[in-house]
Amino acid sequence: MTESPRIAVLGAGNMGGALIAGMLRSGFAKPGQLTATVRSPEKAAALSDSYGIRALPGRNLDAVENADLVIAAVKPHLMSGLLEEIRWGLREGRILVSIAAAFPIALIEQHIGRPFPVFRAMPNTPAVVGEGVTAIAGNSHARQEHWALVEPAFRSVGAVCYLDEDQFHAVTALSGAGPAYVYMVIEAMTAAGLKVGLSRDVAARLAEQTVLGAAKLVRDSGTHPAILRDRVVTPGGVTIAGLHELERHGLRAMFMTAVEAATAHSRQLSGKLNDLARPAE
Ligand SMILES: NC(=O)c1ccc[n+]([C@@H]2O[C@H](COP(=O)([O-])OP(=O)(O)OC[C@H]3O[C@@H](n4cnc5c(N)ncnc54)[C@H](OP(=O)(O)O)[C@@H]3O)[C@@H](O)[C@H]2O)c1
C-alpha cells in the first residue's frame, strides 16, 4: 500500500468535511492527496479555497479514479445512488469506507456486485480537532493491508475501536450522535450559570472548560467517573446538593432512554434502507 495514499471523500459536508480538516490538521494527508466531492459548485469552490484541495461538484467517478481510499460520506438515503455511480471505478487496489449511518455492509456489497474490500466506519465531528472517536468494521474481503490504510486514516483524527457491525446502531446512537448531547449539556450548564447571575461569557467559558477538563481527566487517569465524582463531593456540601437535583430529575435514566431511542431509530432506518434496496416482487 502506498505511503502517501490518495483519498477521495465523496460528500464532504459536516462529517466528510470534519474528516478532511482533521486529516490535514494531523498531517496524515497533504492537500494534494485529497479530493472531495459535493453537489453544488459553490460548495466545491469553498472547500478548495479553505483547504487547498481538489474539490469537484458531483463527478464522483472522477474522484474515485484518482484515489486509493474512497470514503463515502453522503446521507444514507443517497448512498445507493452514489454506489451505482462509482461501482465500476472500484477496482483492484482501492478500498471503500462508508460512514453512512444505518447503511449495512451487505447492502454496499450488493451494489458493488463483486468481491471488494468494504469498511463501515462511524466517526464523530470532534475529528476536526483530532479528538474524534471512530468505530470500524470490515467485510470478509478486508485484508491486513487494507486495515493498514484505513486504521491510520481514522486514528489521525482521534481514537479508533474495532467492533462487529451489529453493534453499529448502538455506536451511532452513543458516539456518532453523542457530540450533540454534550453540546446540549454545555448549553444547559451555560444557561444554569446565567440563572445564578454569571455573565454570558464567563458562564460559557466555565461550562465548556469544565466538560473538556472532566473528560480529559477520565481519559488520562483511567479512573472510573464515579470515583472522580466522589472526589468532588463533600458530605453536606455544595456538590451533593446539585447532584441530588440531577438524580431527582433522572439524569442517568434520561441518557439511557435517549441512547436507547436513537439506537432503535437507527435500526428502523436500516430496515427502511434494506426495503428500498430489495427488488420489487
Ligand atoms: N454529522 C455527523 O455528526 C455524522 C457522524 C457520523 C456519521 N455521519 C454520516 O455522515 C454522512 C453525512 O452526514 P453529514 O451530517 O455530513 O451530512 P451533510 O452535511 O448533509 O453532508 C453531505 C454532503 O454530501 C453531498 N452530496 C450529496 N449528494 C452528493 C452526490 N451525489 N455526490 C457528491 N456529494 C453529494 C452534499 O453536497 P451539497 O452540500 O453540495 O448538497 C453534502 O455536502 C451521513 O451518512 C451520516 O450518517 C454523520
Side-chain angles (χ1 to χ4, degrees), residues 56 65 79 87 130 136 149 227 245:
L56 310 169
E65 293 292 2
M79 273 293 287
R87 60 189 290 255
I136 310 179
L149 175 53
I227 295 174
E245 280 304 300

Side-chain angles (χ1 to χ4, degrees), residues 11 13-15 38-40 43 60 73-76 99-101 122-123:
N14 287 317
M15 194 60 240
V38 280
R39 257 184 308 212
S40 80
K43 284 202 180 149
N60 292 298
V74 297
K75 291 282 190 195
I99 65 161
M122 182 46 60

Side-chain angles (χ1 to χ4, degrees), residues 94-259:
R94 299 201 165 113
I95 303 170
L96 177 67
V97 180
S98 161
I99 65 161
F103 203 93
I105 288 177
L107 205 46
I108 298 172
E109 291 175 328
Q110 193 178 311
H111 279 288
I112 298 174
R114 58 194 187 284
F116 192 79
V118 176
F119 291 80
R120 227 181 120 179
M122 182 46 60
N124 63 10
T125 50
V128 177
V129 291
E131 292 291 355
V133 61
T134 306
I136 310 179
N139 74 350
S140 58
H141 305 291
R143 295 193 304 269
Q144 189 52 42
E145 74 209 67
H146 304 131
W147 280 100
L149 175 53
V150 172
E151 195 263 353
F154 286 93
R155 191 170 293 286
S156 76
V157 297
V160 162
C161 62
Y162 311 103
L163 290 175
D164 288 340
E165 198 190 7
D166 62 7
Q167 295 193 296
F168 266 55
H169 295 302
V171 171
T172 306
L174 182 63
S175 58
Y181 312 151
V182 177
Y183 299 140
M184 208 180 224
V185 167
I186 294 175
E187 216 187 315
M189 284 177 69
T190 304
L194 289 175
K195 181 84 172 72
V196 292
L198 296 174
S199 75
R200 197 174 299 279
D201 284 355
V202 168
R205 183 87 184 111
L206 293 178
E208 101 208 353
Q209 188 62 29
T210 300
V211 170
L212 176 68
K216 212 162 182 294
L217 186 54
V218 171
R219 184 182 65 185
D220 294 357
S221 68
T223 307
H224 193 286
I227 295 174
L228 293 172
R229 187 195 63 209
D230 230 34
R231 289 184 190 153
V232 187
V233 173
T234 310
V238 171
T239 309
I240 195 67
L243 287 175
H244 182 201
E245 280 304 300
L246 291 177
E247 291 288 18
R248 213 163 61 79
H249 293 284
L251 180 82
R252 277 186 283 196
M254 216 155 59
F255 268 95
M256 285 180 201
T257 49
V259 173

